[in-house]
Amino acid sequence: MGDYAILLAALLALLAGLTIGKAWERYKLRDGRWIDRRKARESPHYILGLNFLVSNQIDLAIEELTRAAGLHSDAIEIDMILGNLYREKGQVSRAVKVHQELLQRPKLTKIEHAYVMLCLGLDFKSGGFVDRAFEAFSEVLRLDPKNHYALVNLEKLHEEQHQWQEAWEIRQRLTKAGTAAETPRNQEILAFLENERGLEALKRMDYRAAARHFEAAIDLDRKAVPAYLNLGDTHSLQGQPAKAAEAWEQVARVAPDQVFLAFDRLESIYAKLGTPERFPEMCRRLIAASKQDWRARAALSRHLAAHGSAREALDLLFEALVHNPHALIIHEAIWKILLDLDLDRSLVERYIELTGQAVFYLDPHVCLRCRYRSTELLWQCPHCREWNTFVEDRIAPAQDAEEAGELGRQRGPDATAVRSR
Ligand SMILES: [Zn+2]
């Protein structure tokens, strides 16, 4: 117990140090008198509140911090945290009220004002009040032009509104303010935003502008796969099939594991160019370069089946199956060819043998608390020791908010996180 107390004291000292900052900032001149801002922080409620916060017990944290805030109303960060906790709990109007009241406090410093504004912006954003969130984050930037959180949130709001140009401009600001280590990630995001701007130009049928944006995206990030795909589409629309093929073939060079996204396009453009043999040739090159490439095998198989080589097509699918026994599209392609071959008994037996050897998840259950996996439904998790936390993990499309909320109420707050793997 003694050790624990020392450890706790050290942790709290650290937390308090982080929150308070330099010692001389403890005292603040307000209404012509010095006040000691430590009082609230030294109350047991503040300390308990922080502890509950650390252990993610939000309701208890709110209770204790509310008491601490009542003792001394000068420590604005307690109310700031309280407001944020209400927001996290989904009580947006309450969060807005707490933060707006903070803005009414006299003698807020510029930085305090900016931080309360930021909290308010997050409240509005989570409540879906887009315009007011825009205003709040813009106000933060007026007070603190390099505020990273305000910039990132504004960028996301613009993205949600499909205002790609504006989002791109903000990412430029973030890139300039960022460190060298952050540059590749920033370039990658800028490339995605350029790609979106290109898609917009494509929608307007402004092919030259579209191509410019896609090329700019590739310059920013050589692995910007969607930009290559869209650049090829643009060339194709401009009546330049050879240039289109060239753009799509680049994907095989920069991101060979994603070139399958260009398979359909390449297969049809090669046929259009009068050189259909280039497609199986490319697939064979990909298979030779990467033995596990089941997608190239499946694509080559489909091509061969369509050109009358069913047996060779089936062999390729059996090989693909060894590398990815869970891919339903391989099984479906196999069933189709087996039917076309009148269910040749020896081939069906080979298929059954191959699937029998494959490792499937027999009955996948997963702990909602720690994600421990089990083949059977367990009542207590052997890893985190929690009771009744297992759900069956099925592959399913993401659910809409209403359904997810319904599930959340049935199985606790994390139930929706594991629906797909
Ligand atoms: Zn567990």
Side-chain angles (χ1 to χ4, degrees):
M1 189 63 208
D3 284 352
Y4 175 71
I6 293 166
L7 197 70
L8 183 64
L11 172 71
L12 287 171
L14 184 70
L15 271 172
L18 287 173
T19 322
I20 299 164
K22 297 184 191 89
W24 49 264
E25 280 177 346
R26 283 177 189 158
Y27 292 92
K28 210 171 164 96
L29 192 61
R30 184 153 291 171
D31 302 326
R33 66 191 174 91
W34 286 98
I35 54 150
D36 186 350
R37 301 179 85 198
R38 275 179 306 180
K39 273 185 195 158
R41 300 187 190 97
E42 282 177 354
S43 87
H45 300 300
Y46 182 68
I47 289 164
L48 280 168
L50 286 184
N51 265 315
F52 286 129
L53 201 54
V54 170
S55 59
N56 209 18
Q57 292 173 283
I58 304 292
D59 288 320
L60 291 169
I62 288 180
E63 206 173 288
E64 294 300 333
L65 289 174
T66 305
R67 285 189 191 143
L71 285 178
H72 211 299
S73 57
D74 284 302
I76 71 153
E77 68 273 17
I78 300 183
D79 285 295
M80 218 145 81
I81 296 172
L82 267 174
N84 291 344
L85 290 176
Y86 286 131
R87 182 181 65 240
E88 288 307 308
K89 272 173 62 86
Q91 300 177 0
V92 173
S93 54
R94 210 157 168 188
V96 169
K97 189 163 169 278
V98 170
H99 289 140
Q100 273 176 339
E101 277 169 10
L102 274 179
L103 282 182
Q104 304 306 315
R105 297 266 182 105
K107 300 193 182 99
L108 282 184
T109 67
K110 201 166 159 188
I111 263 332
E112 284 172 336
H113 191 135
Y115 272 101
V116 177
M117 220 31 171
L118 184 67
C119 294
L120 206 49
L122 293 170
D123 299 339
F124 288 138
K125 190 180 173 208
S126 89
F129 305 106
V130 177
D131 292 343
R132 297 180 76 182
F134 263 118
E135 274 168 36
F137 293 132
S138 304
E139 176 68 8
V140 177
L141 288 178
R142 204 183 56 75
L143 295 160
D144 179 14
K146 286 189 175 169
N147 191 300
H148 181 84
Y149 298 103
L151 284 168
V152 168
N153 277 290
L154 265 183
E155 181 196 43
K156 287 287 157 225
L157 283 175
H158 283 304
E159 287 175 4
E160 280 161 26
Q161 309 287 307
H162 291 195
Q163 294 162 341
W164 306 113
Q165 160 94 34
E166 288 83 350
W168 182 87
E169 278 160 17
I170 290 178
R171 184 48 60 172
Q172 286 280 23
R173 282 172 76 175
L174 284 163
T175 308
K176 277 184 196 130
T179 63
E182 291 161 353
T183 303
R185 176 64 181 154
N186 281 326
Q187 303 262 96
E188 189 187 353
I189 294 170
L190 278 173
F192 275 111
L193 294 171
E194 279 288 2
N195 180 61
E196 292 294 343
R197 292 170 77 190
L199 285 172
E200 248 173 14
L202 206 54
K203 238 180 265 167
R204 300 194 301 270
M205 297 202 286
D206 184 348
Y207 299 138
R208 287 180 61 186
R212 263 204 315 278
H213 282 301
F214 298 136
E215 280 160 2
I218 292 166
D219 283 342
L220 282 160
D221 177 13
R222 249 176 46 82
K223 294 191 172 184
V225 172
Y228 290 100
L229 298 176
N230 293 326
L231 182 61
D233 290 345
T234 310
H235 290 320
S236 181
L237 285 164
Q238 285 172 303
Q240 299 171 315
K243 276 182 87 176
E246 213 176 289
W248 294 328
E249 283 164 354
Q250 292 291 332
V251 181
R253 245 156 273 161
V254 300
D257 50 339
Q258 286 170 344
V259 66
F260 70 90
L261 295 168
F263 281 168
D264 287 347
R265 290 170 164 99
L266 282 166
E267 190 175 13
S268 77
I269 209 96
Y270 287 148
K272 202 169 165 189
L273 287 165
T275 51
E277 71 284 355
R278 283 165 76 188
F279 186 70
E281 280 166 17
M282 182 193 69
C283 291
R284 289 187 207 281
R285 273 200 307 278
L286 287 167
I287 295 166
S290 167
K291 298 279 175 240
Q292 312 89 304
D293 194 337
W294 65 273
R295 290 188 192 271
R297 285 192 175 86
L300 179 57
S301 162
R302 200 191 45 200
H303 182 87
L304 293 174
H307 293 79
S309 309
R311 287 298 292 262
E312 203 191 335
L314 190 62
D315 282 339
L316 277 161
L317 290 173
F318 284 159
E319 279 175 41
L321 198 61
V322 173
H323 293 292
N324 189 356
H326 301 122
L328 188 59
I329 54 168
I330 302 177
H331 291 278
E332 284 174 334
I334 290 175
W335 300 334
K336 192 172 174 304
I337 296 181
L338 284 175
L339 282 173
D340 287 346
L341 294 172
D342 291 325
L343 295 171
D344 179 302
R345 194 181 169 90
S346 68
L347 292 174
V348 173
E349 277 168 2
R350 199 166 147 221
Y351 173 54
I352 291 170
E353 192 193 339
L354 276 172
T355 46
Q357 286 164 0
V359 182
F360 285 95
Y361 285 118
L362 292 174
D363 196 7
H365 292 85
V366 63
C367 171
L368 285 176
R369 186 142 179 261
C370 72
R371 303 195 63 83
Y372 179 89
R373 302 189 72 93
S374 157
T375 49
E376 39 189 324
L377 178 63
L378 300 175
W379 299 115
Q380 188 182 24
C381 176
H383 184 249
C384 71
R385 298 276 158 202
E386 197 53 76
W387 290 103
N388 204 16
T389 52
F390 278 84
V391 293
E392 194 184 325
D393 188 14
R394 269 162 298 165
I395 300 172
Q399 287 153 330
D400 62 34
E402 202 176 310
E403 263 182 283
E406 194 60 43
L407 245 162
R409 280 192 290 284
Q410 284 167 9
R411 295 295 323 237
D414 292 321
T416 53
V418 295
R419 291 289 119 179
S420 54
R421 61 160 182 247

